[in-house]
Amino acid sequence: MFARIYARLSGPMDQGGMAEHRDHTLAGLSGRVLEVGAGDGANFGHYPSGVSLVAVEPEPYLRARARERAAMADVKVEVVAGVAEDLRFADGSFDAAVATLTLCSVDDQDRALREIHRVLRPGGELRFFEHVRAASAPMRAVQRALDATVWPHVAGGCHTGRDTQAAIEAAGFQITRLDVLRFPDVRFNTPVSRHLLGTAIRP
């Protein structure tokens, strides 16, 4: 059910500023690129020309939608079933990897990031746009309460308060760019307002 809701939200999200964030996240990529948690393929139209993309998506409905978008994309896209924690690719086989609104929902964030690190070549980039742990203590308390109760069950396994920056660094990446922003850009904060948009390198 959440997969169908998420697919319906991608259009309004893009109109609300997500399309611009996709452009910033993916700008300048080239070579063989892995996208984990590709969802319904909303990123496909934002990749630069010259990219050869492998898109991994575990959810069948979203994967079918992604294949429809792949057929219309300007870049070469192969959509495959799989999970980020168990990537069926050789070590060092990608030039870059992309995670957008994915690392909040994987079952094991640390294992997923180690797998991404493994399949990237030395010097390869991880591009990410993720909602993360709040900056204020009161909102972090709200996030902890939500993550321990209803939120993952109603939001497809999503967790509101993961410290994704620390997890990326712990997996062996060096973060070279990090923008902190609020999305959607409204006057009040929510448990999923704080986002990181950045680049990390596999040394």
Side-chain angles (χ1 to χ4, degrees):
M1 182 179 297
F2 179 75
R4 286 159 173 79
I5 294 171
Y6 183 84
R8 290 179 179 271
L9 289 176
S10 63
M13 286 172 60
D14 280 357
Q15 294 170 11
M18 184 63 191
E20 182 179 354
H21 296 320
R22 295 186 199 280
D23 285 338
H24 290 163
T25 302
L26 305 176
L29 286 174
S30 62
R32 191 167 189 240
V33 178
L34 172 70
E35 182 174 343
V36 292
D40 64 348
N43 277 343
F44 294 171
H46 298 266
Y47 279 96
S49 61
V51 164
S52 177
L53 179 65
V54 178
V56 175
E57 173 52 47
E59 206 286 320
Y61 176 78
L62 292 176
R63 191 166 61 246
R65 294 285 298 267
R67 284 181 172 140
E68 292 175 3
R69 291 201 187 204
M72 300 180 291
D74 292 333
V75 297
K76 179 183 177 183
V77 184
E78 179 186 5
V79 179
V80 299
V83 295
E85 296 93 335
D86 187 19
L87 297 172
R88 303 301 178 90
F89 307 109
D91 295 1
S93 55
F94 290 92
D95 300 299
V98 172
T100 57
L101 304 181
T102 296
L103 296 174
C104 60
S105 301
V106 293
D107 288 338
D108 187 333
Q109 188 183 66
D110 292 337
R111 181 174 174 181
L113 284 164
R114 288 196 300 270
E115 276 288 273
I116 294 169
H117 187 278
R118 178 185 65 79
V119 301
L120 280 175
R121 63 167 175 79
E125 294 183 341
L126 168 62
R127 302 285 188 92
F128 56 93
F129 178 76
E130 299 285 341
H131 69 79
V132 295
R133 181 177 296 176
S136 70
M139 185 60 78
R140 287 198 297 270
V142 172
Q143 289 176 324
R144 285 194 297 271
L146 287 173
D147 289 349
T149 54
V150 299
W151 193 270
H153 300 288
V154 300
C158 174
H159 293 74
T160 65
R162 285 181 169 172
D163 189 353
T164 301
Q165 178 182 350
I168 290 171
E169 292 172 330
F173 289 98
Q174 294 179 356
I175 294 177
T176 58
R177 172 195 175 192
L178 191 67
D179 298 327
V180 181
L181 51 90
R182 183 169 58 187
F183 178 76
D185 189 11
V186 294
R187 289 189 295 175
F188 56 90
N189 285 323
T190 74
V192 291
S193 288
R194 189 170 187 257
H195 286 69
L196 299 181
L197 191 160
T199 300
I201 302 294
R202 178 192 168 176

